[in-house]
Amino acid sequence: MSEIDQEVVRTIVETANDHFFIVDGSGRVLDVSPGAAAVYGMARERLIGSSVQRLEAEGVLKPSISLEVIRSGKPVQLMQVTGTGRRVIAEAHPVYVNGRLERIVSRSRDLTDLQLLQDEYALLQKRFSEHLKRSQSGAAGEDGQLEDVLESLEIRSQVMRELALLLKRVAPSDATVLMLGESGVGKTAFARQLHRWSRRREGPFLEVNCGAIPENLFESEMFGYQPGAFSGAARQGKAGLLEQAQGGTLFLDEIGELPLLMQTKLLKVIQDGSVTRLGDTRQRQVDFRLVVATNQDLAKRVETGAFRLDLYYRLNVIPVTLPPLRERREDIPALVEACLERLNQRYGRQKLLHGSVWSELMGGDWPGNVRELENWLERAWLSSAGDLIHSPTPGDTAGVATMATPHAASARAELAEDEGLAAYLARIECDVLRALCRSLTTTYAIAERLGISQPSVVRKLKRHGLKIQR
C-alpha cells in the first residue's frame, strides 16, 4: 500500500462517526479509531496490539464480532454490551487474499447516545404539548387576532390557518422550529412572521441560504474571522452571521445542504451557545432564535450519512410542514390578487386578469408552488399587450427575453479549433444560463427550467460571472 493510500485509510478511521477495529486473520488488533476508547473503556494504545480473544475474555468485547468472523468466515452483525455498559450495534467483514483470511474490518455504532437523544426529543415534545394545552383556552381569542396577519400572508385555507395559529403559540418560546415543505411553499414568509410574533421582534431577522454559500467560504461567513486569519481576510476582521443574529432570529434555509463539517460546528453552537472566529481562541457568547427550513427528507439524509443524527434531533424540536399549493387551492385567489397588485405597482400600469385565465390558475398543479405561480403571473403580465392579462403562450415574446435563434445556437454548438471538451461544455452552459438570466426572474425558476437544484444554479452563475437581469 502506498503512503498516500495509508494516509487515506488513517483519515477514514480517525474521522468516522462509527468506531472501527482492524484485526488480522489471527485476531490481533492492528488499529482502532480514537473514539473506540470511550465506548470500550480501554485506551487506544492498549487496544492496539492486544487480541480479540483476550479482549473478549476480559469482558471488553461481549462478544467479539471479529472472533465470530474468524469462526464462520462470513460477515457478521450483532449487538454488543461493552465493558462500560454501552449498547452498540456492530458489523464485521472478512478480507480475503488468495483465499486466505488476512483481515477483519469491523465497525460499531453506539446506540446509547441515540437513545439519550430520543429521550431528550420525547421530553421536548411532551413539554411542547403541555404548552399547547395550557394555551388552548385562549385559542379562540388568538384566532381572532390572526386575521390581519393572515390577510398579509394571503391565507384562506383552514390547514394554513391552523399552522399560523400553531406558530403564534410557539413564537414566545425560543424552541427551534423546523420548516418542512416543497420549494416555493412560503417557508421564508412564515419564518419572518414567526420572528414578528416572538419576543425578539426588535432584533434582526437574518436569512441564510445554506446552499448558496460556497463550501470553502462557509466557515468564515458563518463564524467570522480575526485579522490575518487567512490570505485576503479583512484587516479589521469580521463578525460571522451567527454573531450578527444576536438578539434576533437566524433563519437557515436549505439546511439539508449544510456541509458535514459545518453541521458539527453548528451543533456545538446550539449546545454551548458560543462561537469561535477563525484564527481566534476566544469564545463569544451568542443568543438567537434558530429557525431552519428544507425541502429535503432529513431523515433519509441521516440514513445515508449526509446529515448528522444528533443535529437532526436538535433541530426537529417543533416540525412544521407547509402543504403544497395544489393541496390548498383556496389560497390561490388571494395570492393572485396580491401578486397582481405588486406587478401593477412595479410596472406602473393597471392591468386586469381575463376571466378565461382563472380556470388555468385554479386547475394547475403548480409544482413550484407560490414561487411558480408568481413567475407565471409576471410572464403573463409582461406578454399581454393590452390591459387584460391572458395566459402566456410559447410564442409570446413581448417583454420577455427569448433564447437564441436556431441559427445562432447551431453556430455556437460547433467545436472551436483547439477547444477541449471541458471548455466546450462550459461555453455551452454559459450561453444557456445567460439566455435564461434574460428570460427568467429568479434562480429558482432557472433551476426548475433546467431540472437542477437552486444552489447549483447559484454556483454556476457565480462561476460564469452572470447575474439575472431583473
Side-chain angles (χ1 to χ4, degrees):
M1 182 184 292
S2 69
E3 184 178 349
I4 293 177
D5 291 334
Q6 290 176 354
E7 285 299 308
V8 170
V9 173
R10 183 187 65 79
T11 301
I12 292 173
V13 170
E14 292 188 355
T15 60
N17 288 328
D18 293 347
H19 309 296
F20 280 89
F21 273 68
I22 300 177
V23 178
D24 69 13
S26 66
R28 186 166 61 95
V29 181
L30 303 177
D31 199 4
V32 301
S33 55
V39 175
Y40 291 96
M42 183 178 288
R44 186 185 187 192
E45 293 73 18
R46 289 186 58 198
L47 288 171
I48 297 173
S50 183
S51 69
V52 292
Q53 293 89 341
R54 182 188 305 170
L55 294 173
E56 186 178 66
E58 294 176 355
V60 178
L61 303 175
K62 297 188 293 186
S64 166
I65 192 170
S66 297
L67 266 183
E68 293 297 323
V69 173
I70 292 174
R71 291 169 186 150
S72 67
K74 299 177 180 179
V76 177
Q77 184 178 40
L78 52 78
M79 188 78 71
Q80 291 177 325
V81 178
T82 72
T84 60
R86 289 175 172 264
R87 293 169 56 249
V88 301
I89 184 168
E91 58 179 90
H93 300 270
V95 178
Y96 289 98
V97 178
N98 297 325
R100 178 178 174 177
L101 179 63
E102 294 288 349
R103 298 285 187 271
I104 300 105
V105 178
S106 69
R107 65 175 182 265
S108 60
R109 177 166 295 179
D110 188 357
L111 298 182
T112 308
D113 288 341
L114 172 60
Q115 186 62 53
L116 290 173
L117 283 168
Q118 289 175 331
D119 292 344
E120 181 180 355
Y121 176 60
L123 178 60
L124 287 170
Q125 291 287 359
K126 181 181 178 182
R127 289 175 179 172
F128 175 56
S129 298
E130 291 172 352
H131 171 74
L132 289 183
K133 288 178 182 177
R134 286 195 300 269
S135 60
Q136 193 70 37
S137 58
E142 291 181 47
D143 193 38
Q145 297 169 9
L146 277 178
E147 292 306 318
D148 291 341
V149 172
L150 297 179
E151 195 71 30
S152 65
L153 289 174
E154 291 93 40
I155 290 175
R156 296 293 181 274
S157 60
Q158 184 59 32
V159 62
M160 296 299 280
R161 294 174 68 90
E162 291 174 358
L163 286 176
L165 183 57
L166 170 64
L167 289 177
K168 191 174 191 304
R169 290 173 180 170
V170 304
S173 73
D174 274 343
T176 301
V177 176
L178 171 60
M179 299 273 190
L180 302 169
E182 297 178 3
S183 179
V185 292
K187 297 187 287 291
T188 301
F190 272 82
R192 287 185 180 277
Q193 186 56 52
L194 177 67
H195 171 70
R196 295 188 192 103
W197 276 326
S198 75
R199 61 183 178 85
R200 300 174 177 271
R201 65 180 69 89
E202 301 301 326
F205 177 86
L206 212 60
E207 179 184 355
V208 181
N209 188 321
C210 296
I213 304 176
E215 188 169 347
N216 61 330
L217 298 178
F218 205 98
E219 186 170 8
S220 62
E221 289 294 316
M222 286 291 289
F223 293 86
Y225 55 84
Q226 288 295 92
F230 52 86
S231 177
R235 185 175 303 174
Q236 69 276 18
K238 180 183 177 182
L241 295 169
L242 295 172
E243 287 184 64
Q244 294 175 35
Q246 181 72 18
T249 299
L250 178 65
F251 176 51
L252 297 181
D253 198 5
E254 304 294 349
I255 189 70
E257 301 284 346
L258 194 66
L260 275 171
L261 177 60
M262 291 302 103
Q263 292 179 27
T264 304
K265 290 180 175 292
L266 176 62
L267 178 63
K268 186 176 184 304
V269 173
I270 296 174
Q271 291 172 332
D272 301 344
S274 63
V275 299
T276 304
R277 295 183 183 181
L278 280 176
D280 197 3
T281 58
R282 179 166 63 96
Q283 291 187 336
R284 303 166 187 265
Q285 291 301 121
V286 289
D287 176 30
F288 55 80
R289 200 295 178 56
L290 183 62
V291 181
V292 299
T294 182
N295 58 9
Q296 302 184 37
D297 188 333
L298 287 186
K300 286 186 177 179
R301 289 185 66 79
V302 169
E303 292 176 4
T304 61
F307 203 85
R308 290 183 61 108
L309 177 66
D310 43 8
L311 179 59
Y312 172 69
Y313 276 110
R314 290 286 182 181
L315 299 178
N316 195 30
V317 179
I318 302 176
V320 176
T321 302
L322 275 64
L325 192 56
R326 60 185 173 275
E327 295 179 8
R328 48 183 179 98
R329 296 181 188 275
E330 55 268 51
D331 288 335
I332 291 177
L335 289 167
V336 169
E337 291 172 9
C339 182
L340 181 58
E341 183 178 347
R342 290 193 296 270
L343 289 170
N344 286 336
Q345 290 179 354
R346 182 186 308 165
Y347 296 113
R349 186 174 175 182
Q350 295 300 311
K351 290 190 177 186
L352 300 173
L353 285 171
H354 191 277
S356 62
V357 174
W358 280 105
S359 60
E360 186 170 351
L361 290 171
M362 298 301 293
D365 283 338
W366 304 113
N369 296 292
V370 178
R371 189 177 296 118
E372 182 187 2
L373 176 67
E374 292 175 344
N375 289 340
W376 186 96
L377 285 167
E378 184 167 13
R379 194 160 59 249
W381 198 104
L382 292 170
S383 61
S384 298
D387 290 335
L388 285 179
I389 301 173
H390 298 270
S391 300
T393 64
D396 283 332
T397 58
V400 182
T402 59
M403 298 287 280
T405 63
H407 176 74
S410 175
R412 284 201 305 269
E414 295 178 2
L415 191 66
E417 188 175 351
D418 298 328
E419 184 179 37
L421 179 61
Y424 169 77
L425 293 176
R427 178 164 58 87
I428 296 300
E429 181 182 80
C430 182
D431 288 341
V432 171
L433 288 170
R434 183 181 291 109
L436 291 176
C437 282
R438 291 194 298 265
S439 62
L440 299 176
T441 58
T442 68
T443 53
Y444 291 94
I446 294 176
E448 182 186 342
R449 174 67 180 83
L450 295 177
I452 60 177
S453 69
Q454 186 265 350
S456 295
V457 171
V458 172
R459 287 192 290 270
K460 290 178 184 292
L461 293 181
K462 187 170 184 178
R463 184 190 311 145
H464 294 294
L466 299 174
K467 292 184 178 180
I468 292 176
Q469 300 174 15
R470 299 189 181 278

